[in-house]
Amino acid sequence: MSKRELTELLALIDEWVEQLEDWELEGKCRQSGHDFMSFMQERGVRIKDLEAIIVAVTGYRPKDLCTIDDAAMLRSAIANYEYSTTVTRETEADVSDRARHALNVTKQIWGS
């Protein structure tokens, strides 16, 4: 996938997240978080490391993050979960250490 195609895919994620209704955010955050954690575990990333990144950025554990009453933070979390998964998937083809790559992508996406 080219850089332009990846950028377009991330823009589609942005569009989808912005179109979510406020009442949908908790459920979508929970689902995106679950999918993200499963995806990263398949690559050998420790959940403890992922939680540390999310707590450092948001102040909340992933399980608690989805229950807060802050639509902007929930939208950001959903987008970050989806971006991390997408970028990792699309850039890991030539990587020898998938766990390290996935963790580095997550750190970059979440700003940690």
Side-chain angles (χ1 to χ4, degrees):
M1 174 175 278
S2 73
K3 188 172 182 175
R4 190 180 118 244
E5 291 170 321
L6 182 57
T7 301
E8 289 172 1
L9 186 55
L10 296 178
L12 289 173
I13 292 170
D14 280 338
E15 187 177 313
W16 170 71
V17 170
E18 286 306 312
Q19 291 177 2
L20 292 172
E21 299 290 335
D22 286 357
W23 60 267
E24 295 177 288
L25 294 175
E26 181 179 341
K28 294 295 184 188
C29 183
R30 192 171 310 284
Q31 185 61 52
S32 289
H34 178 268
D35 294 348
F36 164 77
M37 293 293 182
S38 295
F39 176 85
M40 292 297 174
Q41 277 187 301
E42 290 171 6
R43 277 143 185 82
V45 180
R46 296 179 333 164
I47 295 298
K48 181 179 175 180
D49 293 336
L50 298 169
E51 286 183 345
I53 292 167
I54 294 167
V55 169
V57 172
T58 68
Y60 296 95
R61 293 183 58 221
K63 290 181 180 182
D64 300 328
L65 177 60
C66 295
T67 65
I68 65 169
D69 189 24
D70 182 337
M73 188 177 280
L74 290 175
R75 287 180 199 286
S76 178
I78 295 166
N80 287 343
Y81 286 138
E82 298 295 331
Y83 295 159
S84 296
T85 302
T86 300
V87 172
T88 298
R89 182 184 302 114
E90 298 302 329
T91 59
E92 70 183 356
D94 298 322
V95 173
S96 60
D97 187 343
R98 288 180 9 158
R100 179 170 296 182
H101 176 70
L103 191 58
N104 287 338
V105 167
T106 299
K107 287 177 182 177
Q108 289 174 344
I109 297 289
W110 284 82
S112 173

